[in-house]
Amino acid sequence: MINRVHIICHPNSGQGQGKYILSKVLAYLDHYQIFYQVHQTTAVNQAGLMAKQIACQVDLSDNNHLLIIGGDGTLHDVVQALWEIERIIPVNYIPTGTGNDFARAWLKDQTYQDVLENMLFHPQIVNVPIFTYENHLDHHTGIILNSMGFGFDAVTNRKTGEFMATLNPFLKRLVHKLKLAYLCGLVLSLSSVPKFPLHLIIDGKSIAHKDVSIATVVNNPMLGGGIQIDNLSRADRAELVTILYHDIDFSAIKELLAKVFIHKNQDRSKHVTRYVADYLRLIIKEPIQGQVDGESFIFPEIDMTFNLATYPFILPTPRSAY
């Protein structure tokens, strides 16, 4: 029997969905007389600090569990923090964010009850493929659960946040319920499609592109709550994939919108190039907007290497949706 469940919850995730699901989770645990300790975030990056404290203070053996309630950003912060201190603790996860891309791949059609039942009665560990990266310019290292992108996907991510911030609470809940947030952000971003040169080193081969609008290292084919940036990838394949959208003009935008959202065959476009590698180095020698698992950043320059790794999750079933 489980001794205690340590819960890290972002209560404001998904326009308050995190707080609502937390109440349901606590009622479920109370029903089975399971002890728990709740840690609710109130600031950016707090989830990671909480995870480090729990990992250092608690023996998270088979009789103690770590449960995350929040969006992709909260989950990323926790896994990143545990990776940094080399405490590779299996994670249970209930998605309550805006995009929920990790859950779309690994928890499709699973409810919070499914996650809790699996955690309490028949937990099984799935080693989920992730990426690690190092920026050689500042020696920062990190992990990627879903994707790291530069250019238009990062602009869309930022525009989505700005758009949601302008809405009143009712409209925020409505947009979240209809899963329209990232689609609205994409439409708002079409007037400012960036273009930049980059240099790739893939398995020792040097490749240059002059006119790139999206450069994304893809672990999960979904981006921004269901936009399939790569129609060939699967989250469970353990492939180091880079997708470039390049040489974009107005006619290309029309073509790509149809291929991405309707036909699901953007790999057939001359404006999309896909690389699969064992070793990847990506260099961008100018300031660029980026995102890591949905969290936006501005990078002055990029010189990063990427590698495959795995991280243990406790999942109801070891499957991917794509």
Side-chain angles (χ1 to χ4, degrees), residues 8 33 52 84-86 110 114 133 188 191 227 322:
I8 297 176
Q33 298 182 326
K52 288 181 179 180
E84 287 175 358
I85 63 173
E86 299 182 351
Q110 302 290 345
D114 295 325
Y133 68 89
L188 292 171
S191 61
I227 299 173
Y322 308 104

Side-chain angles (χ1 to χ4, degrees), residues 213-269:
S213 294
I214 297 176
T216 303
V217 184
V218 179
N219 189 35
N220 182 339
M222 289 301 184
L223 179 73
I227 299 173
Q228 193 171 8
I229 192 169
D230 178 17
N231 60 302
L232 298 181
S233 287
R234 289 173 55 99
D236 57 355
R237 276 188 183 153
E239 290 182 325
L240 190 54
V241 175
T242 307
I243 289 288
L244 305 182
Y245 285 55
H246 51 82
D247 302 298
I248 306 297
D249 54 21
F250 181 71
S251 62
I253 290 175
K254 292 193 297 181
E255 173 205 336
L256 288 170
L257 287 174
K259 287 184 176 295
V260 170
F261 289 99
I262 301 173
H263 305 300
K264 313 293 185 183
N265 63 349
Q266 59 265 41
D267 62 296
R268 299 180 184 178
S269 172

Side-chain angles (χ1 to χ4, degrees), residues 22-36:
L22 175 62
S23 67
K24 297 291 187 181
V25 168
L26 299 187
Y28 189 102
L29 296 177
D30 285 337
H31 176 76
Y32 288 101
Q33 298 182 326
I34 303 297
F35 293 108
Y36 53 80

Side-chain angles (χ1 to χ4, degrees), residues 91-263:
V91 169
N92 300 271
Y93 176 54
I94 297 175
T96 60
T98 300
N100 295 327
D101 290 322
F102 182 88
R104 289 173 186 272
W106 294 99
L107 290 166
K108 186 180 181 184
D109 300 327
Q110 302 290 345
T111 66
Y112 77 88
Q113 295 100 324
D114 295 325
V115 174
L116 294 175
E117 179 181 346
N118 180 73
M119 178 181 71
L120 295 182
F121 304 115
H122 39 82
Q124 58 179 339
I125 293 177
V126 178
N127 288 312
V128 171
I130 67 170
F131 298 159
T132 62
Y133 68 89
E134 178 181 2
N135 190 345
H136 298 284
L137 300 177
D138 60 10
H139 303 291
H140 176 73
T141 61
I143 62 96
I144 303 167
L145 297 176
N146 299 318
S147 67
M148 174 182 276
F150 307 98
F152 185 72
D153 65 335
V155 172
T156 299
N157 187 73
R158 177 177 60 82
K159 288 282 190 181
T160 299
E162 293 173 352
F163 167 70
M164 293 297 288
T166 66
L167 302 181
N168 62 46
F170 172 77
L171 288 177
K172 284 182 179 179
R173 289 192 295 270
L174 180 63
V175 170
H176 176 73
K177 182 176 181 179
L178 297 176
K179 301 179 181 179
L180 295 175
Y182 281 93
L183 183 59
C184 292
L186 185 148
V187 172
L188 292 171
S189 303
L190 288 175
S191 61
S192 55
V193 177
K195 296 184 178 183
F196 54 93
L198 65 73
H199 180 202
L200 298 172
I201 300 175
I202 297 178
D203 297 336
K205 183 179 180 181
S206 182
I207 303 170
H209 287 267
K210 296 181 179 180
D211 191 6
V212 177
S213 294
I214 297 176
T216 303
V217 184
V218 179
N219 189 35
N220 182 339
M222 289 301 184
L223 179 73
I227 299 173
Q228 193 171 8
I229 192 169
D230 178 17
N231 60 302
L232 298 181
S233 287
R234 289 173 55 99
D236 57 355
R237 276 188 183 153
E239 290 182 325
L240 190 54
V241 175
T242 307
I243 289 288
L244 305 182
Y245 285 55
H246 51 82
D247 302 298
I248 306 297
D249 54 21
F250 181 71
S251 62
I253 290 175
K254 292 193 297 181
E255 173 205 336
L256 288 170
L257 287 174
K259 287 184 176 295
V260 170
F261 289 99
I262 301 173
H263 305 300

Side-chain angles (χ1 to χ4, degrees), residues 260-309:
V260 170
F261 289 99
I262 301 173
H263 305 300
K264 313 293 185 183
N265 63 349
Q266 59 265 41
D267 62 296
R268 299 180 184 178
S269 172
K270 66 180 181 181
H271 300 286
V272 176
T273 301
R274 184 178 190 268
Y275 299 102
V276 181
D278 293 319
Y279 172 89
L280 169 64
R281 186 168 184 172
L282 189 153
I283 301 167
I284 302 173
K285 293 186 175 181
E286 62 181 54
I288 190 74
Q289 189 158 323
Q291 63 82 20
V292 184
D293 290 339
E295 299 298 310
S296 296
F297 300 91
I298 297 292
F299 296 90
E301 288 185 48
I302 294 294
D303 184 354
M304 290 184 175
T305 53
F306 300 84
N307 292 283
L308 282 166

